[in-house]
Amino acid sequence: MMAQDIHAVLNGLTLLVEDTKGASQLDAMRNYAAIMALCADLRKAAAEYDGTWNITMIIGELENHMAGVAGLFPTWDLPRDQHLTGAHAAISKLAMGTCFGE
């Protein structure tokens, strides 16, 4: 995956996270499904670079926070806003130039 493709995926993830802020439970679940599909693309791209394990861990952070927002892990005590902040932080880590070897 080229750098511009990775940035497009990261921008899409950011938009989906923002869209989830005031979303209903059903819309949050839909956004979560779309995020999972985009994260799968990022995992494939990560296989091309050194540090794949670190990239995969960050993608996992994003997926877990969005699962919390969607209510898939009701045992997590974090408020929705903290999950959204964690998701944004994960996207920021993935956007760093050194993450995908740029």
Side-chain angles (χ1 to χ4, degrees), residues 22-102:
S24 67
Q25 181 78 20
L26 182 60
D27 288 334
M29 291 286 282
R30 287 182 185 140
N31 286 352
Y32 173 72
I35 286 170
M36 291 300 289
L38 290 174
C39 285
D41 288 341
L42 282 179
R43 284 185 201 284
K44 289 178 190 173
E48 300 173 12
Y49 301 99
D50 293 331
T52 302
W53 185 81
N54 291 333
I55 295 170
T56 303
M57 292 299 292
I58 297 169
I59 293 169
E61 284 180 39
L62 173 61
E63 292 170 337
N64 289 337
H65 280 297
M66 292 312 296
V69 170
L72 296 176
F73 298 137
T75 57
W76 283 15
D77 295 9
L78 294 176
R80 188 177 191 148
D81 288 344
Q82 285 185 353
H83 280 300
L84 292 170
T85 301
H88 280 295
I91 292 170
S92 294
K93 290 176 196 175
L94 290 169
M96 290 181 179
T98 57
C99 191
F100 283 94
E102 297 171 20

